[in-house]
Amino acid sequence: MIKFALACEKGHEFESWFPDGPAYDKQAKRGLIGCPECGSTQVSKAVMAPAVVSRPQSAKPGAAAPPAPLIDERQRAVRETMRALRREIEANTDDVGAKFPEVARAIHAGEAPERAIRGQAKQDEVKALLEEGVDVMPMPFAPEEFN
């Protein structure tokens, strides 16, 4: 896992985690990374200071410091909540895949039976759906998708 500092074309700065550098490049090229403030997909890496870990003052010189936990209890609880939410969504929705925009519009227009659906849509498709009054929201990523 790697965390990048990112900035959109409008100067909004944010951070995001990726499995590795090439995963960021691939997602950015496909327009899958959006600014959380304005939604712009014109995103690039920003300057980021490296994290420096030092040993506690009380540690004896030459003694190995105990390894820091990768995630704390709060982060573990958030991850479990995300997993549970995702399981709930998957259990109670129909996966329509790439036909999501088309099916969502049909349901909204009353041309298809009302039901909860999930699937994939590009950012411009999501924007168009929202402008048409179709309520959509992103599905949370499962923590495992980044490992």
Side-chain angles (χ1 to χ4, degrees):
M1 292 290 293
I2 186 166
K3 178 172 68 171
F4 287 126
L6 304 172
C8 76
E9 64 184 334
K10 296 179 181 172
H12 302 127
E13 294 183 2
F14 57 101
E15 295 177 340
S16 191
W17 287 91
F18 298 89
D20 52 35
Y24 162 81
D25 296 333
K26 184 177 177 182
Q27 290 182 32
K29 184 177 178 181
R30 293 179 59 203
L32 299 176
I33 304 169
C35 173
E37 192 164 332
C38 68
S40 171
T41 58
Q42 298 297 315
V43 174
S44 61
K45 293 179 189 172
V47 177
M48 184 170 174
V52 178
V53 179
S54 62
R55 63 184 160 100
Q57 294 292 336
S58 61
K60 295 178 186 174
L70 295 176
I71 61 172
D72 62 24
E73 286 305 313
R74 186 176 141 272
Q75 291 169 327
R76 193 178 325 279
V78 168
R79 286 178 179 226
E80 185 50 43
T81 300
M82 297 294 282
R83 283 186 198 98
L85 177 58
R86 192 171 171 95
R87 283 191 301 266
E88 184 74 19
I89 291 169
E90 289 172 348
N92 294 293
T93 58
D94 294 328
D95 187 355
V96 296
K99 293 184 178 184
F100 180 84
E102 166 187 330
V103 176
R105 277 189 184 92
I107 292 171
H108 182 73
E111 299 166 357
E114 177 119 3
R115 67 191 198 278
I117 61 170
R118 69 180 189 283
Q120 296 86 40
K122 295 181 179 136
Q123 190 165 4
D124 60 327
E125 293 172 323
V126 171
K127 184 177 179 182
L129 287 168
L130 291 170
E131 287 172 354
E132 295 168 27
V134 180
D135 291 329
V136 298
M137 64 181 275
M139 187 164 154
F141 285 104
E144 294 76 27
E145 291 177 0
F146 295 109
N147 293 327

